[in-house]
Amino acid sequence: MLTRTGETVREVCTGFEAELKRFNGEQDRVHLLVCCRPKAQLSKLVNSLKGVSSRRRHQE
């Protein structure tokens, strides 16, 4: 499950012109290190990461 979530997070980051530097986690949480533009809207990035990963996890 973590592998698939990492792929999803990487796709979302690419869409926001951000780079996923590190990804790891446990059964109930993940840890991300993301590099993005200084003017990036972090709240939108985080909301998208949470929403897309949750939706895909429930679909699968």
Side-chain angles (χ1 to χ4, degrees):
M1 184 184 302
L2 279 175
T3 302
R4 182 65 183 126
T5 302
E7 293 168 359
T8 301
V9 168
R10 194 173 307 279
E11 291 172 17
V12 172
C13 285
T14 301
F16 277 85
E17 297 179 6
E19 181 183 358
L20 180 63
K21 294 285 192 176
R22 294 204 180 177
F23 174 87
N24 62 28
E26 301 170 17
Q27 249 182 346
D28 60 345
R29 70 184 56 117
V30 295
H31 304 274
L32 310 172
L33 177 61
V34 178
C35 182
C36 59
R37 300 174 292 130
K39 294 185 179 186
Q41 295 178 336
L42 294 179
S43 61
K44 287 187 178 183
L45 173 59
V46 171
N47 285 336
S48 184
L49 287 168
K50 290 171 66 175
V52 172
S53 62
S54 175
R55 192 168 40 254
R56 287 191 183 171
R57 187 179 62 227
H58 289 295
Q59 287 174 346
E60 294 176 356

